[in-house]
Amino acid sequence: MKRQRSHSALQSLLATFAAVGLVACASTGAVSPDAEATAHAEDSPSRGADDPYGSTYRAPSTAAVLIENAVILTGTGERHDGASLLLADGEVAAVAGAGETLEAPSGVRRVDAAGRWVTPGIIDVHSHLGVYPSPGLNSTQDGNEVTNPVTAQVYAEHSVWTQDPGFPRALAGGVTSLTLLPGSANLIGGRGVTVKNVPARTVREMKFPGAPYTLKMACGENPKRVYGNRQRFPSTRMGNFAGYRAAWIDAAEYRRKHEEYRKKKAAGDEQGDKSPPPRDLSLETLAGVLDGEILVQMHCYRAEEMAWVMDLAEEFGYRVSAFHHAVEAYKIADLLAREDVCAAMWADWWGFKLEAFDGIRENIALVEKAGACAIVHSDSERGIQRLNQEAAKAMAAGNRMGMDLGPEDAIRWITSNPARAVGIADRTGSLEVGKAADVVLWSGDPFSVYSRAERVWIDGVPRYDRRDPALQPLTDFELGLTEAGP
């Protein structure tokens, strides 16, 4: 089909190129955001000889913004009514409560937010945008390397299609950052990548500067079904765990050999080996987990399996950062709190397979009540567009059973807690001075079905405006296919 580019579509294309151009021009500087990490690459078994895939994202400079008269949820458990928020130099510069005076720089752009709410940008810790993009054709299904149960050597970022229309749709729902993961067919599926939700030509122009890699692992039915149906190992849950243990034993030995080589080299041991041990991309990733540089994101539904995985992590000396799809997290919420492991959950998805049968709507609230790190995630190109409503459902379920949960609690499930799970909480996820100005202005209470994200800033840069078509990005793929924005 011949696609006709309309005038409005051309304007969108130019706007997209303009935005990308700013990023691209900024990326030509001599020092990348990951330069320091790259400089130490040789010291890191997880990065190998170098780190060729560092972030080239740069936020363009923009005017300061003062949002006034809003209800502000900071993502730290606080709520401020009639409050103001100042964004400057890409960061949160100040939060002022009602009646407090806030010094604004000259030239600041003022936004009267009376009747509206402001929150940190939403972060989705479990997305397959780009690796399973829309349209969902066989030619675009690049999320599972189903050729071996352990494929720690693959990187999800190498499958990401930056033109997936799902990215701007998620932006319209207030999503400012997201972690893109491989699928769950394998015991160890490969590295995930955390990105800023900005228009870009390359994945590196989206990569969240300094965000650690994640490692996707999977429990239960998926890996044993995929390989069992092929009469291959593993075909049972006990096979799954034997597979994990064998991989970690190999990784520990790989790590030991590299550490021994580096120590001898540093000590000037002339009798030691002159060349480093052979490089193995899979073991390199697993060694990075053992060193605490790569964060494990574990697909796991059943309570007893999550408990086993925490025991496994203790056996080999690593941490699980978060369990994903943890429909039975409520059964072991005390263990999750004790081990400081997050649980990423759906509000009400359950029963679509047997290991999801014991899901309950109160799951997220019960994990919160136990003092553990509760997260609402999507695992869906549609669900990611309304994570605020998913959190609202979970909050309502908790309140129906007698809990006293408010918006200031629920907002943490989609902002600061996911930031913590993917290792970026020191830079975003809450409205605290010095953190990234990743902000959403809502038309009302974000936990009402009637509210919409009106405006979205990422690093203080306006990226979405429901009232301004020029700030409703389209991907190249959509040009000529649609006249309207998301």
Side-chain angles (χ1 to χ4, degrees):
M1 178 179 71
K2 184 178 180 180
R3 291 189 294 170
Q4 300 295 327
R5 294 183 187 275
S6 68
H7 179 66
S8 60
L10 183 58
Q11 285 182 317
S12 296
L13 175 64
L14 293 173
T16 301
F17 280 175
V20 168
L22 288 171
V23 174
C25 290
S27 69
T28 57
V31 180
S32 78
D34 280 353
E36 184 176 355
T38 303
H40 299 288
E42 290 187 352
D43 297 330
S44 168
S46 70
R47 294 180 184 272
D50 53 31
D51 181 16
Y53 309 126
S55 171
T56 59
Y57 167 80
R58 281 280 195 274
S61 61
T62 187
V65 176
L66 178 60
I67 305 172
E68 301 175 288
N69 306 314
V71 177
I72 296 178
L73 302 175
T74 62
T76 62
E78 296 180 351
R79 166 179 170 160
H80 302 285
D81 289 49
S84 300
L85 177 69
L86 178 63
L87 314 178
D89 298 324
E91 298 179 345
V92 174
V95 181
E100 295 180 330
T101 302
L102 201 158
E103 294 290 335
S106 61
V108 69
R109 294 178 181 172
R110 295 179 181 271
V111 177
D112 183 1
R116 297 177 175 83
W117 293 48
V118 171
T119 71
I122 292 175
I123 300 167
D124 189 2
V125 298
H126 194 117
S127 175
H128 299 300
L129 291 183
V131 296
Y132 285 113
S134 300
L137 307 174
N138 286 339
S139 65
T140 62
Q141 304 304 287
D142 291 314
N144 273 308
E145 180 57 44
V146 196
T147 51
N148 192 299
V150 176
T151 56
Q153 71 272 26
V154 304
Y155 289 50
E157 63 200 64
H158 293 150
S159 283
V160 171
W161 185 41
T162 60
Q163 300 307 313
D164 183 350
F167 289 116
R169 302 296 188 277
L171 181 66
V175 174
T176 54
S177 298
L178 57 161
T179 296
L180 308 175
L181 295 167
S184 54
N186 294 343
L187 300 175
I188 301 177
R191 297 196 192 200
V193 61
T194 298
V195 300
K196 295 271 189 177
N197 194 8
V198 295
R201 301 162 303 172
T202 72
V203 178
R204 293 178 65 188
E205 290 172 348
M206 300 177 71
K207 288 181 77 169
F208 196 116
Y213 279 110
T214 60
L215 177 66
K216 177 67 178 298
M217 298 180 64
C219 283
E221 293 183 19
N222 285 13
K224 81 185 187 79
R225 183 188 69 248
V226 169
Y227 290 95
N229 287 346
R230 301 176 182 186
Q231 299 299 306
R232 290 183 56 188
F233 178 90
S235 62
T236 62
R237 284 184 161 85
M238 59 186 175
N240 287 351
F241 277 80
Y244 306 137
R245 297 184 80 198
W248 290 121
I249 288 169
D250 289 346
E253 179 62 11
Y254 179 84
R255 180 174 177 245
R256 185 193 65 76
K257 288 180 178 176
H258 279 262
E259 285 182 346
E260 186 175 83
Y261 166 77
R262 286 195 299 274
K263 287 178 181 176
K264 287 182 177 178
K265 183 180 177 182
D269 182 357
E270 297 297 330
Q271 302 304 315
D273 292 337
K274 297 295 188 299
S275 58
R279 189 178 176 192
D280 183 299
L281 292 178
S282 180
L283 296 176
E284 192 172 281
T285 293
L286 299 183
V289 173
L290 297 177
D291 284 338
E293 297 174 350
I294 297 175
L295 306 181
V296 171
Q297 311 294 325
M298 189 102 193
H299 158 124
C300 221
Y301 287 70
R302 283 178 21 183
E304 70 276 358
E305 285 187 292
M306 288 186 270
W308 274 124
V309 168
M310 287 188 281
D311 290 342
L312 181 77
E314 182 176 0
E315 178 185 4
F316 290 98
Y318 70 92
R319 280 195 69 252
V320 177
S321 186
F323 288 110
H324 294 224
H325 316 336
V327 299
E328 293 188 8
Y330 65 95
K331 297 183 180 180
I332 55 164
D334 58 327
L335 301 183
L336 296 171
R338 186 188 72 193
E339 299 298 325
D340 192 25
V341 177
C342 295
M345 299 159 279
W346 296 295
D348 52 8
W349 281 17
W350 73 284
F352 47 89
K353 54 182 175 178
L354 187 58
E355 64 184 358
F357 186 75
D358 240 356
I360 60 174
R361 290 188 174 93
E362 296 81 4
N363 191 20
I364 294 167
L366 287 168
V367 170
E368 164 82 14
K369 185 179 181 182
C373 168
I375 294 170
V376 180
H377 68 354
S378 77
D379 189 25
S380 163
E381 72 279 11
R382 294 174 181 156
I384 195 173
Q385 300 174 33
R386 52 176 185 276
L387 280 170
N388 57 312
Q389 294 181 16
E390 297 301 302
K393 289 192 285 187
M395 178 174 64
N399 287 335
R400 279 197 299 272
M401 69 179 298
M403 297 184 198
D404 184 21
L405 296 169
E408 58 273 24
D409 302 308
I411 195 64
R412 292 187 292 110
W413 303 341
I414 51 176
T415 57
S416 53
N417 284 358
R420 168 182 164 187
V422 296
I424 55 176
D426 60 335
R427 281 155 281 179
T428 190
S430 59
L431 301 180
E432 297 177 275
V433 173
K435 288 195 177 182
D438 298 341
V439 178
V440 184
L441 174 67
W442 302 88
S443 59
D445 179 350
F447 302 109
S448 164
V449 294
Y450 299 106
S451 295
R452 299 287 184 272
E454 285 193 347
R455 301 173 70 170
V456 179
W457 291 265
I458 299 179
D459 290 309
V461 178
R463 294 291 188 176
Y464 177 77
D465 189 330
R466 190 169 292 276
R467 300 165 302 176
D468 184 356
L471 280 174
Q472 296 172 10
L474 297 173
T475 64
D476 289 358
F477 176 75
E478 295 176 281
L479 296 178
L481 298 178
T482 177
E483 290 292 327

